[in-house]
Amino acid sequence: MASVAFYTLGCKVNSYETEAIWQLFQSNGYQRADFEADSADVYVINTCTVTNTGDKKSRQVIRRAIRHNPEAIIAVTGCYAQTSPNEIAEIPGVDIIVGTQGREKLVEYVEQIRRERQPINAVGNIMKAREFEELDVPSFTDRTRASLKIQEGCNNFCTFCIIPWARGLMRSRKPESVIEQAQKLVQAGYLEIVLTGIHTGGYGEDLDNYNLAKLLVDLHQVEGLKRIRISSIEASQITDEVIAVIDGSDKVCRHLHVPLQAGDDEVLKRMRRKYTTAEFRERMVKVREALPGVALTTDVIVGFPGETDEQFQNTYDFIKEIGFAELHVFPYSMRTGTPAARMTDQIPDEIKKERVDRLLELNTELTVQYAKQFVGDVLEVIPERPFKEDPESGLLMGYSDNYLNVVFPGTPEMIGKVCKVRLDEPGTEYCHGTFVRVLDDSKLPLIKEKVV
């Protein structure tokens, strides 16, 4: 039996797509090998190109695969393959290059290489792609949460970002296809679905009279689906219609990841973001009215070209004012081929580092502050696995609907079920709680704790 090994660089969408590519190989009789430990017949490297470092890492992993087994068939896919196929083709030993479209043919290409041993470069012009590439993942290693990719590409062209050139323009998945896949995932035992994509909140912008709000309404009809989580949404896409759906929903999680990138209007303008701080603030106020206790998480880029001390301070103060539950902080990284890389007023690394450190300190403060407000509350948690730091401790860990990572005493059969858990102790990485009961399952024993 032929074996295939995978290596994924970059984002969660890439991880999802690697899983989908594995499904293709699996249904063609391949077994999965460990990239580092085994010598595989085929290596698939799913690359990233968000930063210049992403390109470099991708090249290193390709060379590593070739060293593992010089006889193997080496297939390179993903964003770096899309933007720089010729650079990859120059690496001796690469057999197949496929970008971010047409990956359903990968197994076919492998068979072709076996027969002909002629390198295949199947990278097309992604800007011409208009169809959503249907790649499904029927199961994930995490049995409680399933990702469901609903769109591809982005039309924003922010000045720091290469993604539209790597992923193409917005393409939404057909609504009936999304619903059908959601039903299959629920039938496979998943209680929570995470809607994901390159620009998830833009879903439907290329469809007639259909959008994210309507998709959310339709997903509520999927029987057995307990939670719908939106992986990421731009402030400008949190429309009044989306807010109305969230307001009336018992399934949409109290957690929205809304990328801010900067809390200063001048910097936002240079980034070519589509909102001002005033507009961002107004949307967050509305979201909090619809979802009291919502966890608002965000991305911030520090040290964007031309960012003054005062502009950074504005960002710092704005983040504090909004009161995010968690920050993902990135120092600005120059990406060749983007307008920001050509800007002359690049910020020295040591200043970037200083600013990143300040925001990371603020992040610790905000995370605890957010969790503190739920002490004593009983939350719904779906445990995913035993406590990773001490698997023998009899503790389980999982996320509440409002994105708190909660550790509590429980038994293995509770994994994947909705549990009521009282939050006792807030923390930066995880909170500690007391198990109260399992919803809809009277067979499991209660851990008798007096809940005040």
Side-chain angles (χ1 to χ4, degrees), residues 1 24 27 37 41 55 63 75 89 142 220 225 249 254 285 300-301 343 355 364 387 394 397 408 411 414 444:
M1 191 190 272
L24 297 173
S27 58
D41 301 307
D55 289 3
R63 291 194 176 99
D142 172 355
H220 279 72
L225 178 57
S249 169
R254 288 181 299 165
V285 168
V300 192
I301 293 174
M343 291 178 182
R355 292 176 184 174
T364 304
F387 182 35
M397 68 193 296
F408 64 96
T411 57
M414 291 176 193
L444 283 173

Side-chain angles (χ1 to χ4, degrees), residues 13 17 19 55 79 104 132 214 240 255 318 355-356 400:
V13 174
E17 288 167 354
E19 281 304 307
D55 289 3
C79 292
E104 72 285 350
F132 178 87
K214 290 183 171 66
D240 289 349
H255 168 225
F318 187 74
R355 292 176 184 174
V356 165
S400 62

Side-chain angles (χ1 to χ4, degrees), residues 111-159:
E111 296 312 315
Q112 194 180 324
I113 290 285
R114 284 220 168 90
R115 291 192 307 271
E116 299 165 13
R117 272 293 174 184
Q118 285 300 313
I120 296 168
N121 181 347
V123 178
N125 181 349
I126 199 68
M127 287 304 176
K128 290 184 176 166
R130 292 291 174 268
E131 287 295 307
F132 178 87
E133 179 188 40
E134 296 272 346
L135 284 174
D136 275 338
V137 184
S139 69
F140 298 80
T141 41
D142 172 355
R143 289 297 305 167
T144 57
R145 259 188 311 196
S147 293
L148 176 46
K149 188 176 165 193
I150 62 170
Q151 72 76 237
E152 175 64 275
C154 179
N155 295 0
N156 276 12
F157 293 94
C158 297
T159 55

